[in-house]
Amino acid sequence: MHNETVTLSNGVVVPQLALGTWLIDDDKATEAVRQAANLGYRHVDTAEAYANERGVGEGVRTCGVHRAEMFVTTKLAAEHKDYQSAAQAIDGSLEALGLDYIDLMIIHSPQPWIEVNQSEDRHFEGNLEAWRALTNAYKAGKLRAIGVSNFQKEDIDNLWDNAEVKPMVNQVLCHISNTPLDIIEYCQAKGIVMEAYSPVAHGEALKNPTIAKMAEKYGVTVPQLCIRYDLQLNMITLPKTANPEHMRTNADVDFQISAEDMETLKHVEKIESYGDSSYFPVYGGKLKGYSGKPGTEEI
């Protein structure tokens, strides 16, 4: 079981390998968390938008591992761009999870999802207001750490230059064939810990012959190579699965990719399509209904 940790700028220690829970239904999330904890996972990642915080929280509370040993990350929905709704959502996540505190809470996206890949509005003021809500919850002890997700350089700069508390993490899409080295290096130079979601490219990496050949060289599976790759980029890594066997193999990644092979993997030809999942904004898709006028969207 990979049990390395990373330390955030405020001294909070985070298990580097986490269980991702995107697209795991609420009624299945509890057992998934219990199984993961039994295998040695100590970090679970969820979000308000996943609609499974209740199940994840129940899993954390009933997995048999002391709460202080479990690290729970959740995300403030991308649509909260004002102080009041963000503050209410933070309390809503605490209530849904059934926990006294959240270890890490992050803004899910600098733009509401309906606008991602369709609008140039980066919502600078709205993100500062959402960040202020996170900051106050952090100061109140409701959150042990705060950060962001899917933030680009200009979004990071907005918080860095104007906020009292600096972002501690930035969670981004990162996998072999789609590695945003510029934002990774920019954030890491500022002491912001980077996190990688969809490390196996939502399953599409399994279809890539270059990645398969490299995995064969190391005697590992494609998912194991992909997860190890992100770990060696010094990123917290979030493979998603509800399958205990996949949880086990995903965590069996204590091998080392050579520096030469890491450079090769960084420059694997960029993925062209995420298949049936390409419509998700995180994979370059566009949600239907964006009119350009906030408040008039139809989903």
Side-chain angles (χ1 to χ4, degrees):
M1 172 75 201
H2 182 86
N3 58 7
E4 297 297 317
T5 61
V6 297
T7 302
L8 305 183
S9 58
N10 67 343
V12 168
V13 177
V14 187
Q16 191 182 17
L17 184 66
L19 176 72
T21 63
W22 182 37
L23 301 180
I24 297 179
D25 292 340
D26 189 60
D27 61 351
K28 295 181 174 61
T30 299
E31 184 59 23
V33 172
R34 288 172 180 160
Q35 293 281 359
N38 184 58
L39 289 165
Y41 284 78
R42 294 296 181 264
H43 184 176
V44 183
D45 178 275
T46 182
E48 178 185 349
Y50 298 172
N52 63 8
E53 287 178 315
R54 185 213 61 81
V56 167
E58 183 179 347
V60 170
R61 296 192 311 271
T62 62
C63 68
V65 177
H66 193 274
R67 170 67 184 99
E69 296 179 29
M70 294 295 293
F71 193 97
V72 179
T73 296
T74 194
K75 306 176 192 72
L76 184 69
E79 291 67 34
H80 298 303
K81 299 305 179 194
D82 63 90
Y83 181 87
Q84 183 175 0
S85 72
Q88 290 173 344
I90 293 166
D91 288 340
S93 286
L94 280 162
E95 182 177 357
L97 288 160
L99 300 176
D100 294 331
Y101 64 90
I102 294 165
D103 295 280
L104 171 64
M105 194 164 191
I106 60 184
I107 298 175
H108 208 157
S109 168
Q111 298 172 296
W113 292 119
I114 194 72
E115 295 183 34
V116 174
N117 304 319
Q118 303 186 68
S119 169
E120 294 183 1
D121 185 355
R122 303 307 294 182
H123 293 271
F124 290 140
E125 289 303 319
N127 284 316
L128 284 171
E129 285 299 287
W131 188 253
R132 186 163 66 90
L134 286 176
T135 298
N136 286 345
Y138 170 65
K139 288 180 173 181
K142 297 177 181 180
L143 314 174
R144 295 180 64 222
I146 53 178
V148 296
S149 181
N150 299 300
F151 273 47
Q152 298 303 311
K153 180 181 182 296
E154 59 189 325
D155 307 309
I156 292 291
D157 288 345
N158 177 48
L159 297 185
W160 196 266
D161 295 341
N162 297 298
E164 175 186 0
V165 177
K166 309 303 183 187
M168 300 164 192
V169 305
N170 186 15
Q171 185 180 125
V172 299
L173 174 67
C174 179
H175 57 77
I176 301 168
S177 75
N178 193 350
T179 306
L181 291 172
D182 287 349
I183 191 65
I184 291 171
E185 292 168 1
Y186 185 75
C187 288
Q188 289 179 339
K190 288 180 170 293
I192 298 172
V193 170
M194 294 299 290
E195 300 189 333
Y197 65 78
S198 297
V200 193
H202 206 59
E204 294 299 314
L206 297 165
K207 305 173 185 177
N208 186 304
T210 302
I211 299 174
K213 184 176 181 180
M214 187 71 78
E216 184 179 358
K217 173 181 176 178
Y218 284 90
V220 298
T221 67
V222 165
Q224 286 172 324
L225 182 78
C226 290
I227 292 164
R228 183 68 209 179
Y229 170 80
D230 280 341
L231 293 173
Q232 285 187 217
L233 291 174
N234 297 315
M235 301 180 78
I236 293 168
T237 306
L238 313 155
K240 186 274 292 184
T241 183
N243 183 314
E245 180 57 24
H246 291 170
M247 293 177 194
R248 185 188 66 77
T249 56
N250 286 348
D252 186 15
V253 289
D254 288 326
F255 62 99
Q256 194 75 16
I257 302 171
S258 71
E260 181 181 5
D261 287 341
M262 282 294 293
E263 285 304 308
T264 297
L265 292 173
K266 287 178 185 177
H267 301 290
V268 169
E269 185 177 359
K270 186 173 174 63
I271 188 171
E272 293 183 0
S273 170
Y274 290 87
D276 292 342
S277 297
S278 294
Y279 71 91
F280 285 115
V282 293
Y283 300 138
K286 300 177 180 180
L287 295 184
K288 296 179 180 179
Y290 178 65
S291 67
K293 297 180 180 179
T296 63
E297 300 89 350
E298 294 180 4
I299 300 175

